Amino acid sequence: MKTKSLQPMIPLLAVEPLGVDLRTAAQTAHKLGFGGLAIGIGHPEIHAETFGQTAQRHFKQILSTHGLVLGALRVGAGKRGAFDAATSQKLLDDTLTACELAHRMQIPLLSVYIGEPAEDQKISGDVAEIFRLLARQADRTGVVAALSCGQASWLLQLLSSLNAPSLAAHLDSARVVAAGRSALQAAEALAGHLALWTCTDAVRHGSSVQITPLGSGHAESAAVINILKDQDFTGPIVVDVRDLPNPVQAAEHARNQLQEWIF
């Protein structure tokens, strides 16, 4: 699965964990050597009603000044996501809204955390309808929606059953580790379907999961990169330093690790 308008393996910095405004996020990403940003649809400046055409043009000028792209919009509605009536409608509504914003701002990719399916979760009924609606909107607006969850086998089954060109897979390594799976095996299983990799790391002890700096957990990120290279994966790659105590320092560390592993 290829996305458009982005250079191969471009590293994007996720904005929300930084806890800063968009201008500061752009300055930080540029200083640390990132190629662009990935922004959640719930960011105060994106979500605000004032983020109209003028604000959008202003933000794109800020990005251009720093040589950055806005590579992805991020959407999610928690761990139950598409699999609970209390959260599924919000996930769908936010994703449809994100499709429209991505279309207006010429953003090629959505990152959509769909939640975690139960072991016996079927791809039928209301769950299937959510993704059919999402696929139609993504196709209409010309974006690719990259879906993630901790279970690569279920995600692969979903994508195969829908067979929608506008839907792809997103590998979020920490979510895979949290689900008790192997990120390396997930990368292998999703070959040919991946449009996005979020290179988070984590350690799992029983039912407890802790996010760790990139390269220090169970995600086998260096090996995952080799698998992605074998698949001719072009990216982008999102660095997400969520739940780490010093996000700027963690982002710099992750960028340096990626530089070492990729090149």
Side-chain angles (χ1 to χ4, degrees):
M1 173 67 65
K2 301 290 192 293
T3 58
K4 58 187 179 181
S5 303
L6 298 181
Q7 63 190 21
M9 290 285 193
I10 185 172
L12 306 175
L13 180 59
V15 169
E16 284 68 37
L18 302 178
V20 298
D21 59 72
L22 295 180
R23 179 185 291 276
T24 303
Q27 292 169 343
T28 301
H30 173 69
K31 180 180 178 181
L32 296 181
F34 286 86
L37 301 177
I39 302 177
I41 194 69
H43 187 281
E45 290 176 79
I46 294 290
H47 185 68
E49 294 181 0
T50 56
F51 196 69
Q53 292 184 359
T54 300
Q56 292 169 26
R57 285 196 300 269
H58 179 60
F59 181 46
K60 292 173 82 170
Q61 288 172 353
I62 292 173
L63 292 173
S64 179
T65 297
H66 294 291
L68 302 173
V69 299
L70 180 48
L73 286 178
R74 306 189 338 147
V75 183
K79 192 171 181 179
R80 290 306 299 149
F83 310 105
D84 190 305
T87 53
S88 59
Q89 189 61 51
K90 174 175 172 50
L91 177 66
L92 180 60
D93 290 345
D94 285 352
T95 305
L96 298 184
T97 298
C99 284
E100 292 291 350
L101 180 58
H103 176 69
R104 293 196 302 271
M105 295 190 68
Q106 298 181 309
I107 303 166
L109 191 63
L110 299 185
S111 159
V112 184
Y113 176 48
I114 67 173
E116 299 301 331
E119 293 290 342
D120 59 350
Q121 184 74 53
K122 304 297 184 184
I123 302 173
S124 59
D126 292 342
V127 171
E129 183 61 18
I130 287 171
F131 296 109
R132 291 192 190 98
L133 291 171
L134 194 164
R136 286 200 288 270
Q137 180 77 338
D139 184 65
R140 186 185 69 80
T141 52
V143 301
V144 172
L147 313 179
S148 72
C149 70
Q151 300 183 41
S153 58
W154 195 93
L155 184 58
L156 182 60
Q157 184 182 357
L158 172 67
L159 293 173
S160 299
S161 67
L162 295 175
N163 192 29
S166 56
L167 300 183
H170 165 201
L171 173 63
D172 186 323
S173 293
R175 295 200 191 280
V176 175
V177 171
R181 270 69 171 181
S182 162
L184 186 60
Q185 292 177 3
E188 292 172 334
L190 294 171
H193 295 275
L194 279 171
L196 180 66
W197 175 40
T198 295
C199 57
T200 43
D201 211 337
V203 293
R204 179 184 171 95
H205 299 291
S207 61
S208 175
V209 178
Q210 181 180 358
I211 301 296
T212 65
L214 188 63
S216 64
H218 297 160
E220 302 177 276
S221 299
V224 167
I225 282 181
N226 290 331
I227 292 295
L228 297 180
K229 285 181 177 179
D230 289 343
Q231 297 176 14
D232 294 325
F233 171 76
T234 59
I237 298 171
V238 173
V239 166
D240 185 340
V241 294
R242 61 183 182 258
D243 299 328
L244 291 174
N246 189 328
V248 174
Q249 184 179 19
E252 182 176 21
H253 166 78
R255 179 70 183 95
N256 291 339
Q257 283 285 51
L258 285 175
Q259 184 78 12
E260 177 183 336
W261 292 335
I262 292 174
F263 301 108

